[in-house]
Amino acid sequence: MKIKLLVIILLCQLSYLLNAQNIDLPSDFLSKKFYAGRREILREKLPANSVAVLFANAIRNRANDVDYFFHQDPDFLYLTGYKEPNSVLLIFKELQTANNGKQYNEILFAQARNARAEMWTGRRLGSEGVKSLLGFEQSFDAVEFSRYDINFSTFDQVLFFDFKNDVRDVPKDSTDLYDLIEKFKTKASYPKSNGVTLAIEPTKNNLNTTTLGSLLADMRGIKTKEELELLRKAVTISAIGHAEAMKAIRPGLSEREIQGLQEYIFKKYQAEDQGYPSIVGAGHNGCILHYMENYKPSITNKELLLMDLAAEYHGYSADVTRTVPVSGKFSPEQKLIYELVLRAQEAVINICKPGTSFKEIESTARITINKGLKELGFPITSETDRNLFYPHGCSHHIGLDVHDRGNYDSLKQNMVITVEPGIYIPENSKCDKKWWGISVRIEDDVLITERGHELLSFAAPRTVKDIEELMKQPSTFDNFTLPELDKVKPTIKQ
Ligand code: GLY
Ligand code: MN
């Protein structure tokens, strides 16, 4: 009887493993050719006689036996397309020769297949899947990394990102990320003091923890055609989310409901995630730059609502912010501040073209805002200084990270950046009381083209007139009602 049961379990596990790759996937994932191409370009950029070593992201614990949803390290994803944890990638500048004479210039050590684990936490590609689906010629189970015969001291440079020493060692698993990092440290003679590994000084011995970041910034900052397709989708989905929210907003809704409404729209378009924690802040809450609590149960007529939410689509994240009046009509003070921010945004968008420096972008936004605030009677002492009313930067790259790697000197064709000036006037600010509680950010995503730019987030209106017009329109969510929680009773007597 016991043997029969064992055979059934084994057969189930076998069929699970065989079926695991037979799944419906979106048709617009990036191809293995794309990822192989990225590795090839990185290899071209690597210094002579070097190897780049990259690790997958860590699994982070949420509580007890529940982990946060795994999100791949963007550099690792960019070079592999591999979406699993506990793996390490080696890219060699020159061809290497294995003991069996085989030549190779890259290896991915991947999570091993494991029917029981896959039943609980999801499918794994395993090294065979990595070869067939991700286009690697050399891939092994992670356990092989400790046996892998490599002498890092023979390379002029070993390029990697320094460790934060914040990865947990999973008990009874000798192939988790912690162990892979430890094995690498031993193999590469990463410096230790009394058994504690140290963050290393760049360029000490042949270990280099600075160059890889700048090589990848140069690559990731310029989007390829395939990446732009995904990024356009992420931005359009996000802009539609904002436009639909504008139609649905009315006094009495909660901040969280509006968050949920937008996030539902992202998911309706198959976006896997948000690019960052969603920000929906009414009135004073909008002055908190990264407000994520979204706790206010009922938004009110006199408030502005600042919504900074965007979708992540197949890894690529948009970044869009809109600020609208809850009543559907801006008050005179709200309108003055809103139109000043819009003017600053327009001034920046107008200079977005190859050659414009990020410095110019920042100063254009800041000068426009500070001048405008001064004209409105705000205590602004310098036109160019950061101040309480506009305390953040105007632009950053977007891509696999919402604050993406990229070069921050000057704009180049196929960069995608945000343009996001804002004005925040917390209660008790040193200005006329009539401004208190007003906060406005307008954030759009802009593609730099050969001679100028293209506004990718056009589907979310920006002018006072267009916003007020759209907010008058009915919403699909107008008649969406649910039972009141305390009125929900069992229908069958218990
Ligand atoms: N939208 C969030 C940020 O750029 O910080
Ligand atoms: Mn942003």
Side-chain angles (χ1 to χ4, degrees):
M1 183 64 196
K2 261 193 181 158
I3 290 181
K4 209 168 152 192
L5 192 66
L6 198 67
V7 170
I8 291 170
I9 290 171
L10 283 173
L11 282 176
C12 284
Q13 297 199 342
L14 187 65
S15 84
Y16 195 87
L17 284 176
L18 291 174
N19 283 331
Q21 310 205 351
N22 202 5
I23 52 169
D24 279 343
L25 289 175
S27 56
D28 57 349
F29 276 167
L30 293 178
S31 65
K32 55 185 174 186
K33 207 169 142 212
F34 166 83
Y35 294 109
R38 297 293 91 198
R39 294 194 295 277
E40 204 47 56
I41 292 182
L42 178 62
R43 189 169 6 258
E44 279 164 23
K45 290 173 181 284
L46 289 177
N49 192 27
S50 70
V51 54
V53 184
L54 291 104
F55 292 85
N57 229 347
I59 296 173
R60 301 282 173 202
N61 185 255
R62 187 170 185 265
N64 193 13
D65 58 351
V66 177
D67 295 326
Y68 283 102
F69 191 79
F70 178 73
H71 190 274
Q72 187 56 282
D73 171 78
D75 290 315
F76 201 87
L77 184 65
Y78 184 72
L79 294 169
T80 62
Y82 188 63
K83 298 185 184 116
E84 298 176 29
N86 302 323
S87 46
V88 52
L89 167 70
L90 280 76
I91 299 180
F92 300 91
K93 175 73 177 180
E94 289 88 8
L95 276 172
Q96 309 293 303
T97 307
N99 291 340
N100 62 5
K102 201 170 167 169
Q103 292 205 303
Y104 61 96
N105 59 11
E106 53 192 29
I107 309 183
L108 181 66
F109 291 91
Q111 275 202 133
R113 301 289 314 270
N114 177 323
R116 185 177 295 230
E118 288 181 53
M119 195 165 179
W120 284 93
T121 54
R123 299 176 175 94
R124 296 179 177 190
L125 291 184
S127 49
E128 288 311 312
V130 165
K131 287 185 206 161
S132 62
L133 299 174
L134 302 182
F136 277 85
E137 279 183 24
Q138 292 276 351
S139 177
F140 302 98
D141 287 347
V143 69
E144 297 297 329
F145 185 59
S146 60
R147 291 196 273 267
Y148 176 53
D149 185 13
I150 182 167
N151 184 351
F152 282 107
S153 71
T154 62
F155 293 91
D156 287 345
Q157 293 195 52
V158 179
L159 285 75
F160 61 103
F161 295 109
D162 208 354
F163 304 103
K164 299 189 181 103
N165 293 328
D166 63 347
V167 176
R168 287 195 343 174
D169 190 10
V170 180
K172 296 194 205 136
D173 184 351
S174 61
T175 62
D176 62 15
L177 184 66
Y178 179 90
D179 295 301
L180 291 175
I181 291 174
E182 287 306 303
K183 272 156 205 157
F184 168 71
K185 284 177 173 173
T186 308
K187 282 173 188 279
S189 306
Y190 186 95
K192 277 189 184 195
S193 167
N194 298 328
V196 179
T197 50
L198 301 170
I200 57 171
E201 283 172 39
T203 66
K204 204 157 188 180
N205 50 49
N206 68 344
L207 304 183
N208 178 334
T209 56
T210 54
T211 303
L212 195 51
S214 59
L215 297 183
L216 282 162
D218 287 345
M219 289 177 70
R220 284 179 52 193
I222 310 284
K223 270 60 188 180
T224 67
K225 188 168 147 281
E226 299 93 320
E227 290 183 286
L228 282 176
E229 267 178 41
L230 296 185
L231 206 40
R232 270 178 198 281
K233 286 185 189 174
V235 176
T236 305
I237 291 168
S238 310
I240 292 174
H242 280 275
E244 288 301 319
M246 286 183 203
K247 290 194 246 168
I249 286 166
R250 58 179 186 273
L253 294 188
S254 65
E255 291 175 341
R256 190 172 310 293
E257 232 175 316
I258 295 158
Q259 171 191 354
L261 187 153
Q262 288 224 36
E263 290 177 3
Y264 169 69
I265 291 165
F266 301 166
K267 294 214 164 19
K268 179 86 180 152
Y269 285 106
Q270 299 304 312
E272 292 89 342
D273 207 343
Q274 289 78 246
Y276 50 93
S278 298
I279 298 167
V280 181
H284 184 87
N285 292 340
C287 296
I288 304 166
L289 300 178
H290 284 172
Y291 175 71
M292 299 167 218
E293 290 158 320
N294 304 343
Y295 256 134
K296 189 165 183 155
S298 177
I299 60 174
T300 64
N301 233 335
K302 292 210 167 78
E303 293 171 318
L304 285 177
L305 185 70
L306 190 154
M307 303 177 288
D308 184 348
L309 310 89
E312 181 184 296
Y313 187 83
H314 300 355
Y316 287 83
S317 177
D319 192 0
V320 179
T321 308
R322 288 293 181 269
T323 308
V324 302
V326 173
S327 66
K329 193 155 176 49
F330 288 88
S331 74
E333 285 78 20
Q334 291 169 349
K335 189 172 171 199
L336 280 166
I337 299 297
Y338 187 90
E339 291 196 320
L340 173 53
V341 177
L342 187 62
R343 215 158 60 235
Q345 199 202 27
E346 284 292 321
V348 172
I349 293 176
N350 284 336
I351 58 167
C352 281
K353 59 174 189 303
T356 299
S357 68
F358 276 88
K359 243 177 157 174
E360 225 175 317
I361 286 177
E362 294 300 332
S363 66
T364 302
R366 196 157 300 285
I367 289 171
T368 312
I369 284 186
N370 287 353
K371 249 177 141 171
L373 283 174
K374 204 167 175 190
E375 281 162 17
L376 291 173
F378 283 76
I380 302 294
T381 45
S382 153
E383 270 188 7
T384 48
D385 278 0
R386 275 196 186 206
N387 54 52
L388 175 73
F389 304 111
Y390 176 31
H392 59 73
C394 180
S395 285
H396 57 80
H397 292 268
I398 56 169
L400 287 173
D401 274 321
V402 64
H403 298 162
D404 210 28
R405 274 195 199 285
N407 196 303
Y408 280 88
D409 296 336
S410 62
L411 298 180
K412 294 196 176 60
Q413 187 177 358
N414 293 335
M415 285 182 169
V416 183
I417 61 160
T418 63
V419 180
E420 52 171 312
I423 295 179
Y424 312 86
I425 316 170
E427 307 286 325
N428 302 315
S429 294
K430 286 196 187 109
C431 62
D432 194 314
K433 261 186 172 163
K434 68 179 180 183
W435 306 110
W436 288 2
I438 294 181
S439 53
V440 174
R441 180 161 65 252
I442 313 172
E443 178 169 27
D444 279 271
D445 300 337
V446 174
L447 166 68
I448 308 305
T449 58
E450 193 184 344
R451 293 206 176 80
H453 61 265
E454 183 188 333
L455 182 67
L456 299 182
S457 41
F458 64 91
R462 280 186 304 145
T463 64
V464 164
K465 183 164 165 283
D466 288 349
I467 289 173
E468 289 182 349
E469 277 306 310
L470 188 64
M471 290 186 78
K472 281 185 205 150
Q473 287 188 22
S475 157
T476 350
F477 295 97
D478 283 344
N479 298 317
F480 182 72
T481 52
L482 292 170
E484 285 174 46
L485 275 189
D486 56 1
K487 305 245 163 64
V488 180
K489 301 275 186 278
T491 48
I492 301 165
K493 281 211 172 119
Q494 290 172 342

